[in-house]
């Protein structure tokens, strides 16, 4: 941006020169501080909670180190507890800043591992059943006692605490440390002073209703901000003579911000903590309150800005803080004493120990993670492995800590199984429509039982009712300890099918299928699956509207099938990157209306490519052919409907072959409140395709779609207007699976 000189610039330049002069004078004054003849006062740094606003603590600590302000005690609550722990375990303020800058907050705060790290079968669950409500049947129908079990956040805490897992008292850290949690059973503040540091951090940050509470003996602990968000009293109890409190709590909102449910809930929480925050401020000698404006507790993407505002906020308290500054010699001695207490774990891992789980699961984890023994510890790879195990669905947390061991450090793996399942229940609501004349609603659930016969065996049952009815059950069993599996299944399906003459619907049918199948396959673990098997079903067509023009189309169908499914996208709903591809080859042995066996090929896929921080281009495509044969009605390819030529009716085109492609652009508009969903996108796409019987006579149809997509707790919600070059128009809407 070009520089423009305004008349006020002379005043700004003069002001800057004066400020620099005062700063230099202050530095000179600090250098001139004589060696003290009496011991200096013991100084405590007290850090409040505030979510993302708590990142301002890092800026305050950077200012302290630049101006040689010593810290002898650290106390904190919630995010202040985490920032304080980093400093207390021996990180410099600069190292803490770098640590924070490397965190992917979106991934860290997810309620489960990132989609890419889920097991392939859990990805299938997420694609088909997208209602974001985790449920289980272990002790009756129940869910977790928090929206987010905090696996990603727990790994962050483990990283901070690694090296101090067996420190005992938190007085033994480089800087004595305390954090505060709330005991839900008594309603009292719980000052955490010893034990597992990572567990203490989980407790102080366990926001009720968001993160799962922490069971600690006879206590159930959640975020300490409810009772002591600025724990100056804890610092006084530790013998602090000077208390410097940093208050980053959100201010009370004005009337204009109370027009939404989220605004009211935030204001309620702020009022609940207001009185204890006033108490904490009154017990402090110096209060630093950075001006964070309207930055919210969820603004983690503004981390650098928040840190800078924290630094500036500390600078505004220069006159109050200057008396506590040390000389260069005093500062050097202070740091030597602090870092002499810092622990540096041995690089080589002597052993790996598994806790929190017994039986086959313990044996399996031990076998998989013993590869780290005898090698230099790679924490990044270890966290990835633990996340992938969590992505299998049984565990809500897998953490790690250092374990003192002769000959090097050991690693203890802490496993925590979900308390509400297995069995697990996934829910879905699927809606597709074009105005009021073409509407399909269905809802259902999937129940997954795990380890039915031995590890890896799953019995998965589906019930979906509505415009489309689907009931199915599959038993999936790995062969031995390999990734090969067998999978017998049975199913019943009823759906509406239509036939057209030109662009006019002439009949509607109920398409009923009852059948069974048996597959043998290979599961790669996360990204792909291959199956080969046989499927048999009895298909029946019954007219609902219009004449029966499909006489002789009911009967038995039998086919051999080979299928390859690759999933490399970063979301089951609205991806921003990655590719998905499915290839399927069928040998139809017999089917109503055909006299000879025939082969079919189906190919489909999509790819999303990010081109900006908020925008991605995408392409989708599909192709199917019956080669040189005519297919039976149950094997015909269809085209038309939302995201399959949106300007046309569902299944308007039917043929022995089909081809479809679309290209488009998806752009993030804004984020939804946490209790509603994630993001809202604008989307535009051009579609082209055809279903046909003869390769020599192909009529391509086109459609342009413009609309919006939203990631909600009900799954993806889409609303788009579609128009064809011939003037066909529709307004399509859907809830549930899109691509």
């Amino acid at each position: 941006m070009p520089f423009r000189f305004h008349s006020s610039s002379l005043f700004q330049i003069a002001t800057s020169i004066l400020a620099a002069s005062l700063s230099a004078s202050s530095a000179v004054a600090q250098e001139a501080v004589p060696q003290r003849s009496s011991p200096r006062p013991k100084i405590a740094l007290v850090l409040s909670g505030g979510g993302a606003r708590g990142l301002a603590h890092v800026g305050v600590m950077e200012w302290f180190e630049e101006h040689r302000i010593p810290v002898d005690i650290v106390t904190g609550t919630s995010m202040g507890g985490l920032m304080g722990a980093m400093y207390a375990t021996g990180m410099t303020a600069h190292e803490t800043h770098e640590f924070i800058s490397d965190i992917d907050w979106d991934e860290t705060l997810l309620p489960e591992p990132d989609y890419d790290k889920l097991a392939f079968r859990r990805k299938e669950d997420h694609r088909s059943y997208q209602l974001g409500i985790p449920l289980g049947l272990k002790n009756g129908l129940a869910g977790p006692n928090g929206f987010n079990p905090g696996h990603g956040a727990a790994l962050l805490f483990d990283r901070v605490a690694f090296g101090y897992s067996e420190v005992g008292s938190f007085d033994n850290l480089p800087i004595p440390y305390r954090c505060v949690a709330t005991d839900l059973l008594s309603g009292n503040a719980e000052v955490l002073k010893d034990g597992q540091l990572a567990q203490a951090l989980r407790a102080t940050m366990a926001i009720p209703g968001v993160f799962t509470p922490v069971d600690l003996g006879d206590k159930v602990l959640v975020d300490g901000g409810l009772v002591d968000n600025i724990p100056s009293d804890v610092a006084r109890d530790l013998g602090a003579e000077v208390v410097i409190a940093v208050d980053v709590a959100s201010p009370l909102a004005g009337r204009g911000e109370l027009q939404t449910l989220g605004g009211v809930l935030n204001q309620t929480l702020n009022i609940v903590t207001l009185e204890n925050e006033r108490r904490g401020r009154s017990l402090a000698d110096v209060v630093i309150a950075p001006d964070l404006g309207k930055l919210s507790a969820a603004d983690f993407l503004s981390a650098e800005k928040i840190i800078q505002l924290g630094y500036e906020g500390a600078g505004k308290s220069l006159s109050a803080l200057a008396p506590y500054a040390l000389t260069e010699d005093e500062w050097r001695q202070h740091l030597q004493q602090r870092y002499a207490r810092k622990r540096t774990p041995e690089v080589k891992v002597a052993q790996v120990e598994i806790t929190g789980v017994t039986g086959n699961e313990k044996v399996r984890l031990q076998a998989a993670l013993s590869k780290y023994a005898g090698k230099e510890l790679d924490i990044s790879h270890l966290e990835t492995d633990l996340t992938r195990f969590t992505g299998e669905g049984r565990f809500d947390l897998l953490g790690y800590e250092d374990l003192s061991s002769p000959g090097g450090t050991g690693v203890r793996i802490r496993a925590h199984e979900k308390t509400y399942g297995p069995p697990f229940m996934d829910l879905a609501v699927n809606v597709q429509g074009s105005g009021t004349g073409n509407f399909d609603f269905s809802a259902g659930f999937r129940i997954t039982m795990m380890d039915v016969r031995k590890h890896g065996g799953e019995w998965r049952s589906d019930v979906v009712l509505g415009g489309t009815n689907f009931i199915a059950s599959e038993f999936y069993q790995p062969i031995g300890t390999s990734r090969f599996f067998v999978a017998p299944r049975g199913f019943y399906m009823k759906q509406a099918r239509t036939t057209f003459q030109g662009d006019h619907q002439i009949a509607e049918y109920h398409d009923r299928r009852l059948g069974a199948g048996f597959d043998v396959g290979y599961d790669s673990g996360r990204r792909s699956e291959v199956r080969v098997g046989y499927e048999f079903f009895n298909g029946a067509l019954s007219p609902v509207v219009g004449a029966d023009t499909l006489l002789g189309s009911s009967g038995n169908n039998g086919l051999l099938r080979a299928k390859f499914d690759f999933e490399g996208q970063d979301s089951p709903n609205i991806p921003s990157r990655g590719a998905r591809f499915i290839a399927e080859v069928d040998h139809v042995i017999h089917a109503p209306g055909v006299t000879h066996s025939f082969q079919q090929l189906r190919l489909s896929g999509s790819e999303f490519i990010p081109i900006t921080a908020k925008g991605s281009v995408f392409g989708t495509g599909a192709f199917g052919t019956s080669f040189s044969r005519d297919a039976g009605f149950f094997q015909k390819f269809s085209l038309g409907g939302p995201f399959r030529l949106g300007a046309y009716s569902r299944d308007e085109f039917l043929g022995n072959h089909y081809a479809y492609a679309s290209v488009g652009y998806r752009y993030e508009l804004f984020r939804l409140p946490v209790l509603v969903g994630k993001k809202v996108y604008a989307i535009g796409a051009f579609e082209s395709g055809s279903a046909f019987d003869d390769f020599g006579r192909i009529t391509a149809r086109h459609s342009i779609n413009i609309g919006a997509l939203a990631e909600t707790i009900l799954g993806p919600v889409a609303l788009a207007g579609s128009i064809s070059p011939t003037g066909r128009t529709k307004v399509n809407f859907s809830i549930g699976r899109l691509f």
Side-chain angles (χ1 to χ4, degrees), residues 36 102 152 222 291 324 327 356 394 415 434 503 510 549 561 676 678 729-730 735:
R36 291 174 176 80
D102 288 338
V222 296
D291 182 5
Y324 309 117
T327 65
R394 174 179 288 276
S434 301
D503 58 0
H510 279 161
T549 60
R561 173 172 295 161
V676 177
K678 295 180 181 178
T729 61
K730 284 190 180 295
I735 302 174

Side-chain angles (χ1 to χ4, degrees), residues 92-130:
T92 66
H94 178 68
E95 288 170 341
T96 303
H97 191 156
E98 288 186 330
F99 188 97
I100 293 298
S101 298
D102 288 338
I103 296 173
D104 183 338
W105 289 103
D106 278 346
E107 184 173 341
T108 296
L109 298 176
L110 285 173
E112 66 177 3
D114 184 63
Y115 182 71
D116 182 59
K117 296 183 177 66
L118 295 179
F120 185 83
R121 290 180 67 78
R122 302 293 77 80
K123 290 180 179 180
E124 288 183 320
D125 295 339
H126 280 55
R127 275 192 165 273
S128 300
Y129 293 83
Q130 299 183 349

Side-chain angles (χ1 to χ4, degrees), residues 553-619:
S553 294
S554 299
N556 294 330
N557 297 256
L559 56 102
L560 296 171
R561 173 172 295 161
K563 182 180 180 181
F564 171 73
D565 194 338
F566 172 82
E567 171 59 277
Q569 293 177 339
D570 62 352
S571 169
N573 301 330
I574 307 169
S576 62
R577 68 180 70 242
R580 174 169 168 76
F581 177 73
I582 300 174
E584 188 175 316
V585 178
D586 292 349
H587 176 70
V588 181
I589 300 172
H590 56 87
V594 299
T595 57
H596 297 85
S597 63
F598 63 97
Q599 289 76 40
Q600 285 192 316
L601 171 68
R602 295 179 177 86
L603 302 173
S604 63
S606 62
E607 183 163 11
F608 286 72
I609 302 172
I611 58 175
T612 67
K614 293 187 175 183
S616 296
V617 295
F618 65 86

Side-chain angles (χ1 to χ4, degrees), residues 46 186 334 420 467 471 652:
V46 178
S186 68
H334 171 73
Y420 56 94
I471 300 172
E652 183 169 340

